[in-house]
């Protein structure tokens, strides 16, 4: 059984930065990737970024490329999403997930509860 807990969300002004954390517990060795997704009100959950736990390969959505950076610690017990130059359209609930390296919700099997990110003046 795996549990994921996101933290680090909050209210930030446009142009500001936040770093989201995803703490994993339980048996995680079967998972090949960490993914970050976001969901705004009335919209579908969309992939933001993912990183392979095996070779470090990364994916970024075009909307966040150059602004967000995904990483994980050496033990692979915590994942991070560094978000810079935040825009109002980044406002959403952000979820971390464990699964296979991909960009679809169905690629990921374990999910956190989400953390709210609000970008507003």
């Amino acid at each position: 059984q795996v549990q994921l807990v996101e933290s680090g969300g909050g209210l930030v002004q446009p142009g500001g930065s936040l770093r989201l954390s995803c703490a994993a517990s339980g048996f995680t060795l079967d998972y090949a990737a960490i993914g970050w997704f976001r969901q705004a009100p009335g919209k579908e959950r969309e992939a933001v970024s993912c990183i392979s736990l095996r070779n470090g390969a990364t994916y970024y959505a075009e909307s966040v490329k150059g602004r967000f950076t995904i990483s994980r610690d050496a033990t692979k017990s915590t994942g991070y999403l560094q978000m810079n130059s935040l825009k109002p359209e980044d406002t959403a609930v952000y979820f971390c997930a464990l699964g296979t390296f991909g960009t679809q919700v169905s690629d990921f099997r374990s999910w956190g509860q989400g953390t709210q990110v609000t970008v507003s003046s």
Side-chain angles (χ1 to χ4, degrees):
Q1 295 182 333
V2 175
Q3 290 187 329
L4 301 174
V5 179
E6 300 97 335
S7 62
L11 175 65
V12 65
Q13 294 184 341
S17 298
L18 287 172
R19 189 176 78 159
L20 305 184
S21 298
C22 176
S25 61
F27 187 76
T28 63
L29 295 181
D30 288 341
Y31 294 94
I34 299 172
W36 286 94
F37 289 72
R38 67 187 181 188
Q39 188 165 22
K43 299 184 66 177
E44 294 185 347
R45 191 169 300 187
E46 63 176 352
V48 176
S49 183
C50 62
I51 184 169
S52 170
L53 299 176
R54 298 175 178 176
N55 60 21
T58 58
Y59 161 83
Y60 296 96
E62 286 296 323
S63 60
V64 308
K65 192 173 298 183
R67 300 188 297 120
F68 291 10
T69 303
I70 190 170
S71 63
R72 81 284 190 275
D73 66 11
T75 67
K76 302 180 181 180
S77 63
T78 306
Y80 303 95
L81 185 68
Q82 178 67 46
M83 306 186 295
N84 298 327
S85 301
L86 284 162
K87 305 174 181 179
E89 50 263 45
D90 295 318
T91 295
V93 176
Y94 283 70
F95 300 87
C96 68
L98 297 178
T100 56
F101 189 81
T103 61
Q104 297 181 338
V105 170
S106 60
D107 292 322
F108 295 86
R109 306 303 180 195
S110 298
W111 294 82
Q113 83 290 345
T115 185
Q116 177 70 46
V117 171
T118 302
V119 185
S120 176
S121 298

